[in-house]
Amino acid sequence: MDRHCRVAINQNVRGAHAVPAEHVAALRAAGSRRVYRQGDTLIWQGEHEDFVLLIEHGHVWVTSTSPGGHTSVLAVRGPGEVVGELAGVDHGPRSATVTAVSPVEALMIPAPRFRRLLGTAPGLSLWLLEVIVQRLREADRQRLEYGAYSAVARAALCVLDLAERTGRPVRGQPGAVLVDILQRELAGLVGVSRTTMDRAIRDLAGRGLLRTRRGGLVVTDPGELARLVSDL
């Protein structure tokens, strides 16, 4: 598994599926600014609220809860990315819950305005189609990784990605990065049971690469963790 780790500790690094710069102004003109605290719920699964959110600062979890009550973390979205776009297009119920991982600033765009923009700006429509396709490809890749790599490798890869996107420096520990995620949330994101994730975290901690703390994980040496992932 080849992985180059570039831990950018910056809550405003644009997300992987960011809106193209030429369309941001039109979205801002159509929406209104909202501010959320860490832990706030922006969107509830199953509801029929009619708006799309453009994340401008901070990061959010996208989670889904099964009929049996099991909650899985599906994705992390960051600056420049939209959430709630599917319901904003097809008027259906929300397919997932969106929760602020950190303080978040977002633009709330009423769905009718969002749909009008898609109809008048072909470039924006093409971008949204590309985003949906890319996210489907990511889901396919994750399913492949689930079968091809060990739980330790998948946990390490996921933690590295989170450290790059949402990590914060640890006071008094140069080079260390704090990732605000619970082990049960990481298990949902990786697609393993809580017991399997606990074993994977103990393995990585035993190698001196991770350390648990209340409400999160400390990556003690991101570069060494990246090298381990490359060797697994």
Side-chain angles (χ1 to χ4, degrees):
M1 185 189 306
D2 185 17
R3 167 79 185 196
H4 172 66
C5 180
R6 176 183 54 80
V7 177
I9 306 171
N10 186 341
Q11 293 295 312
N12 297 321
V13 172
R14 284 172 65 79
H17 307 301
V19 176
E22 61 267 27
H23 299 301
V24 171
L27 290 172
R28 285 178 176 162
S32 57
R33 191 170 302 279
R34 294 289 187 273
V35 177
Y36 303 92
R37 296 169 299 179
Q38 182 177 357
D40 283 353
T41 299
L42 289 64
I43 291 173
W44 289 96
Q45 180 178 344
E47 291 196 348
H48 286 80
E49 296 171 303
D50 204 20
F51 63 84
V52 175
L53 290 172
L54 170 62
I55 307 299
E56 295 215 293
H57 302 286
H59 290 81
V60 299
W61 290 127
V62 181
T63 62
S64 179
T65 302
S66 70
H70 176 71
T71 298
S72 297
V73 180
L74 304 179
V76 181
R77 303 295 180 219
E81 296 184 295
V82 294
V83 292
E85 72 283 356
L86 296 182
V89 170
D90 71 0
H91 311 277
R94 300 296 192 185
S95 59
T97 294
V98 178
T99 307
V101 182
S102 62
V104 168
E105 294 180 22
L107 286 172
M108 180 180 287
I109 306 159
R113 295 182 187 176
F114 185 69
R115 289 191 289 269
R116 281 198 296 271
L117 283 173
L118 293 177
T120 58
L124 186 62
S125 299
L126 178 60
W127 163 80
L128 183 61
L129 177 61
E130 290 174 346
V131 166
I132 292 171
V133 170
Q134 288 166 4
R135 289 176 178 175
L136 288 173
R137 289 186 185 278
E138 284 180 0
D140 289 341
R141 176 184 55 78
Q142 288 172 350
R143 283 192 289 270
L144 175 62
E145 289 179 352
Y146 292 165
Y149 303 128
S150 69
V152 172
R154 280 147 46 201
L157 185 61
C158 186
V159 169
L160 277 174
D161 182 60
L162 293 172
E164 179 177 341
R165 299 186 65 182
T166 70
R168 295 184 285 118
V170 180
R171 184 179 301 176
Q173 299 181 46
V177 179
L178 172 63
V179 177
D180 292 315
I181 187 171
L182 301 175
Q183 291 187 41
R184 60 176 173 78
E185 294 172 334
L186 185 61
L189 193 56
V190 172
V192 298
S193 69
R194 172 66 186 273
T195 300
T196 299
M197 180 53 62
D198 287 346
R199 287 198 297 266
I201 294 299
R202 285 198 300 270
D203 183 297
L204 294 171
R207 300 170 190 254
L209 301 174
L210 286 184
R211 183 165 50 81
T212 60
R213 60 179 284 179
R214 184 178 179 84
L217 297 170
V218 175
V219 183
T220 55
D221 188 338
E224 190 61 34
L225 183 59
R227 282 188 285 274
L228 172 68
V229 169
S230 298
D231 293 338
L232 290 175

